[in-house]
Amino acid sequence: MRRHLDLLPRLLLRRHIHRRSKTASSPPLPPPPNPPRPPQKPEPVAIHGETWQDNYAWMGSLSDAAAMRHMDVHMEAEEKYAEACLAAAGADRLARKLQLEMASRLASDACTPPARWGPWLYYRRADEGKQYPVLCRRSAALHGEFISYSDPSAGFDFTAGKRIEQKLVDYNKEAERFGGYSYEELSEVSPDHRFIAYTMYDKDKDSFTLLVRDLVTGTLCDKPRADRVSNISWAMDGKALVYVVTNEDRRPYRLFCSIIGSNKDDILILEEPGENIYLNIRHTKDFRFITLNVFSDTHSKVYLIKASDPLSRMILVWEGESQVHCIVEHHHGRLYLFTDAAREGVRVNSHYLMQSDAESPGPKSWKNVFLEEPGIILEDVDFCSTHMVLILRQGRKLRLCSVNLPLPENIHVPAHLSDFHPFELPLPNHVCQILSGPNYDYQSSTMRFTISSPVMPDAVVDYNLLNGKWKIVQQQNMLHERTKVLYGNAFASSMGKLSSDGADLSSQDLGDCDWNELSDYYACEHYDVPSKDGVLIPLTLVYSRKHKREGNPGLLHGHGAYGEILDKRWRSELKSLLDRGWVIAYADVRGGGGYGKEWHRDGARTKKMNSIYDFVSCGEFLLEKGIIQENKLAGWGYSAGGLLVPSAINTRPDLFRAAVLKVPFLDVCNTLLHPILPLTAIDYEEFGFPVDHEEFLAIKTYSPYDNIQKDVPYPAVFVTSSFNTRFGVWEAAKWVAKVRELTQYDPERPVILNLTTDVVEESKYLETKELATETAFLIKMVNDT
């Protein structure tokens, strides 16, 4: 897409316009404006014997200069209309107030918690007044008494006469090299800690460029230098780098090996010419092997490459059907395979773990490690030299447990998990997500995880797997109350060190502490809601105990695609709604993740309408039970969730009073038939293949753009999009124009298109401004009814 954007200079360069401040006397609100009316240029679309007209197809004609000039004019009109609508509702004034609220609560940690790897502590920190962070390290042994999780750069080496900290990559300087942008996708330090390989987004080339920096001299290596790099992995103990390059359609298809310091050209190891074959590499955590995953629309294969000799013959260790997830790890002569592939041709409902002898690997050599246990889903697994750590789900409950490695020889696999005597690691209540941390140091028995809850700011936790003790190493302070020890009773002696955003816990030994939940202030409740076909849909509610009453306004979140888990983490911006009496609800509809593969499949392709019925049923439940007052329910969807919410609005426009759609997928049928941006097989597996007649009919049934009801009042909708998003701004512009064209016009329920800045440009100011504007829109559209 981006290579066509030179036709849109004004659109790409446009930035958020600061709205003029009102006088202290608060003059009367201006009248609601009339919405823009873009020209209709009907173009026929025909397939399977059906033909229909698309009045706004021209908005996606990126190669048509005249159409893009019209689009530019139309976007300017949309921007003025958005400003006028927000001003007419008083949302612009409220947004400025909310922005001040949110800015003080946004995570402002100056540094990531240092991660130990061998003799070094690695971390990213921000320099005051600089836009981008700096990647740094310091010796873990040198002046250890100065090591601090909140200020790891503190300290001075008086012997050497220099600061303890070593700057590795200053991303502010990278921004100077790459035209003002500093967007890193990949970053890998070599196992000997001598080099760092990383990829930076080059706007001019519209691709990621590979760089290698010598960490001793601080200079960039002459090679490798490559564009369109999608994966990197170190080999030969840091003396070689293996990387994957994509073609112009962004398909990873070539595998290279570069010898660091050599003047010879990089060696092409493999090239896959087939247009539906994709390559992906990663190294095992002990750096003994590099795994090469080869995916196509017919099969998946995993090859093993010796890291000590990356040019030697690669070995096929596993093969299966297409579109499966598979990761191979190595531990003391054993290979472990984490996958969701079918077993003997039978589809499975969750991931499982297998093992094989590393000396004689092959597709037929794998054995299951654990017996399948009903109701238990293995979500993830991580390894270190002494343990494997399993993330398990039983219904809504998440578990984190460790198993000693190597596995006992007297236990024949497959066996019950209980046979391995797993140790249950402590977790707080209402955990909704557990993510494995970087855990670079394979030899360390301390592993890091991020623990999330709807009523607790994310906690970065170190677990000592040898004794089960744990410590919160970073967590945001949301309450700013001196009377509450926000970092656990174990750290009461450190109260003098507490800042407004974090705690200095470095002086404490790894020991048990208290979870810093907000449950005293905010409640979390769970319900099972019957959908249209009787299937029970998990619904999670969060509300302020102080402001809860009958008939609160409410915001219903949903996603329901790609088997991805709905984000139910505590988010600081939602506090502004919670403290104004709003109920925040999360509907785990089918098509999403967390409840097995069948749950995902039951909301994909021809069954996508299940997701939409689930979301509508959850909205109806909230109103019927009096949890949310009628005419005060709003919806919120992001990306593929931006398909779910407008589809639900098409189904029940009277159910919602307002909605926020962020970079939504709206024109499903046209996008799948004639993609402007490259789509993958995974996209078609998720939404359907329109060349198949049955799936085409299903797509036409749920596509938001194709099912807008005529002459019916619709809720107020705030649609946010950008040119550098997966779903182009033309989709949002087309949907907004068609809603205004077909539905019953109501100036009190505006449909607004909000064009944001370039997504690769990070800014806390713009982040809070965007969140504040969306929140103000919801409050004004719902509370003022």
Side-chain angles (χ1 to χ4, degrees), residues 183-200:
Y183 185 71
E184 179 190 74
E185 185 177 48
L186 306 171
S187 178
E188 293 281 352
V189 174
S190 61
D192 62 355
H193 304 274
R194 171 68 189 270
F195 300 98
I196 181 172
Y198 57 106
T199 61
M200 300 296 300

Side-chain angles (χ1 to χ4, degrees), residues 337-473:
L337 173 67
F338 179 66
T339 183
D340 60 355
R343 283 176 166 149
E344 298 179 353
V346 179
R347 293 196 302 186
V348 298
N349 193 40
S350 66
H351 284 77
Y352 55 94
L353 189 67
M354 305 180 81
Q355 71 172 15
S356 173
D357 190 339
E359 294 299 321
S360 55
K364 305 296 184 183
S365 64
W366 297 96
K367 293 181 180 179
N368 289 319
V369 175
F370 303 116
L371 289 169
E372 188 174 356
E373 299 186 40
I376 297 181
I377 293 174
L378 177 59
E379 291 212 333
D380 203 359
V381 60
D382 203 351
F383 290 83
C384 67
S385 62
T386 59
H387 293 80
M388 72 166 74
V389 179
L390 309 175
I391 301 175
L392 304 168
R393 182 184 291 273
Q394 285 182 274
R396 286 193 174 94
K397 184 181 179 182
L398 282 169
R399 296 166 54 193
L400 187 66
C401 61
S402 63
V403 173
N404 290 343
L405 288 178
L407 298 177
E409 293 290 340
N410 62 330
I411 298 179
H412 299 287
V413 297
H416 291 286
L417 175 60
S418 58
D419 294 337
F420 299 99
H421 306 291
F423 183 85
E424 297 283 342
L425 298 170
L427 292 172
N429 297 320
H430 308 297
V431 175
C432 64
Q433 183 174 285
I434 303 173
L435 293 178
S436 183
N439 297 325
Y440 301 122
D441 199 335
Y442 179 72
Q443 301 301 326
S444 173
S445 294
T446 296
M447 296 187 73
R448 179 168 294 176
F449 294 86
T450 299
I451 312 299
S452 301
S453 160
V455 287
M456 182 188 77
D458 286 358
V460 181
V461 184
D462 280 354
Y463 289 94
N464 186 328
L465 304 179
L466 296 177
N467 57 25
K469 292 185 178 296
W470 57 284
K471 176 173 68 174
I472 298 174
V473 297

Side-chain angles (χ1 to χ4, degrees), residues 35-42 53-59 74 78 81 705 708-712 714 733-746 751:
R37 298 289 182 183
Q40 298 184 21
K41 304 176 183 179
Q53 299 292 327
D54 185 354
N55 291 338
Y56 304 103
W58 63 269
M59 292 183 175
H74 179 56
E78 288 286 5
Y81 176 71
Y705 183 67
I708 299 167
Q709 293 194 34
K710 192 173 183 180
D711 298 328
V712 172
Y714 261 45
K734 288 174 66 176
W735 185 82
V736 166
K738 194 171 181 180
V739 168
R740 293 178 186 151
E741 173 197 343
L742 295 180
T743 63
Q744 192 178 106
Y745 173 68
D746 182 353
V751 178

Side-chain angles (χ1 to χ4, degrees), residues 756-768:
T756 65
T757 59
D758 202 314
V759 295
V760 301
E761 204 168 12
E762 298 177 357
S763 167
K764 288 291 183 184
Y765 169 78
L766 292 180
E767 181 183 358
T768 55

Side-chain angles (χ1 to χ4, degrees), residues 552-576:
N552 293 62
L555 181 63
L556 180 60
H557 290 250
H559 186 68
Y562 296 107
E564 295 170 347
I565 295 175
L566 177 64
D567 186 2
K568 298 188 286 289
R569 298 174 300 162
W570 170 268
R571 300 211 308 273
S572 62
E573 68 269 18
L574 293 179
K575 189 174 187 294
S576 294

Side-chain angles (χ1 to χ4, degrees), residues 190-195 234-241 260 287 307:
S190 61
D192 62 355
H193 304 274
R194 171 68 189 270
F195 300 98
W234 286 102
M236 298 171 58
D237 291 327
K239 298 180 180 64
L241 183 71
I260 305 300
F287 286 95

Side-chain angles (χ1 to χ4, degrees), residues 236-534:
M236 298 171 58
D237 291 327
K239 298 180 180 64
L241 183 71
V242 180
Y243 61 93
V244 177
V245 171
T246 69
N247 63 8
E248 292 185 354
D249 292 328
R250 305 174 192 261
R251 179 180 66 86
Y253 78 121
R254 283 180 175 170
L255 181 67
F256 287 93
C257 179
S258 177
I259 306 300
I260 305 300
S262 170
N263 293 324
K264 296 181 179 179
D265 291 341
D266 295 349
I267 302 166
L268 178 64
I269 299 177
L270 177 68
E271 180 173 358
E272 284 289 357
E275 63 179 22
N276 292 321
I277 300 178
Y278 302 79
L279 305 181
N280 184 75
I281 60 171
R282 64 179 296 275
H283 63 77
T284 57
K285 296 191 70 174
D286 61 359
F287 286 95
R288 293 284 300 277
F289 298 98
I290 295 172
T291 61
L292 169 65
N293 290 58
V294 181
F295 300 103
S296 78
D297 53 4
T298 60
H299 66 269
S300 301
K301 295 181 180 180
V302 181
Y303 294 88
L304 213 58
I305 301 172
K306 287 185 179 179
S308 59
D309 186 7
L311 301 181
S312 63
R313 184 177 68 89
M314 60 182 69
I315 302 172
L316 176 66
V317 296
W318 183 87
E319 60 183 334
E321 73 274 21
S322 65
Q323 308 305 325
V324 295
H325 179 231
C326 42
I327 294 178
V328 173
E329 265 301 343
H330 175 257
H331 182 276
H332 293 207
R334 289 281 182 183
L335 296 175
Y336 288 89
L337 173 67
F338 179 66
T339 183
D340 60 355
R343 283 176 166 149
E344 298 179 353
V346 179
R347 293 196 302 186
V348 298
N349 193 40
S350 66
H351 284 77
Y352 55 94
L353 189 67
M354 305 180 81
Q355 71 172 15
S356 173
D357 190 339
E359 294 299 321
S360 55
K364 305 296 184 183
S365 64
W366 297 96
K367 293 181 180 179
N368 289 319
V369 175
F370 303 116
L371 289 169
E372 188 174 356
E373 299 186 40
I376 297 181
I377 293 174
L378 177 59
E379 291 212 333
D380 203 359
V381 60
D382 203 351
F383 290 83
C384 67
S385 62
T386 59
H387 293 80
M388 72 166 74
V389 179
L390 309 175
I391 301 175
L392 304 168
R393 182 184 291 273
Q394 285 182 274
R396 286 193 174 94
K397 184 181 179 182
L398 282 169
R399 296 166 54 193
L400 187 66
C401 61
S402 63
V403 173
N404 290 343
L405 288 178
L407 298 177
E409 293 290 340
N410 62 330
I411 298 179
H412 299 287
V413 297
H416 291 286
L417 175 60
S418 58
D419 294 337
F420 299 99
H421 306 291
F423 183 85
E424 297 283 342
L425 298 170
L427 292 172
N429 297 320
H430 308 297
V431 175
C432 64
Q433 183 174 285
I434 303 173
L435 293 178
S436 183
N439 297 325
Y440 301 122
D441 199 335
Y442 179 72
Q443 301 301 326
S444 173
S445 294
T446 296
M447 296 187 73
R448 179 168 294 176
F449 294 86
T450 299
I451 312 299
S452 301
S453 160
V455 287
M456 182 188 77
D458 286 358
V460 181
V461 184
D462 280 354
Y463 289 94
N464 186 328
L465 304 179
L466 296 177
N467 57 25
K469 292 185 178 296
W470 57 284
K471 176 173 68 174
I472 298 174
V473 297
Q474 189 175 68
Q475 188 175 34
Q476 190 184 9
N477 179 337
M478 288 303 306
L479 297 177
H480 304 283
E481 294 185 359
R482 294 179 179 274
T483 58
K484 186 172 178 66
V485 182
L486 292 177
Y487 289 86
N489 294 332
F491 303 117
S493 61
S494 301
M495 281 297 288
K497 303 176 184 178
L498 287 175
S499 70
S500 63
D501 293 300
D504 184 344
L505 312 178
S506 58
S507 62
Q508 304 291 335
D509 293 330
L510 202 62
D512 294 340
C513 59
D514 290 338
W515 297 102
N516 308 309
E517 295 180 284
L518 305 175
S519 299
D520 290 346
Y521 306 90
Y522 303 98
C524 181
E525 296 179 357
H526 303 283
Y527 296 89
D528 291 314
V529 178
S531 189
K532 184 177 181 179
D533 57 1

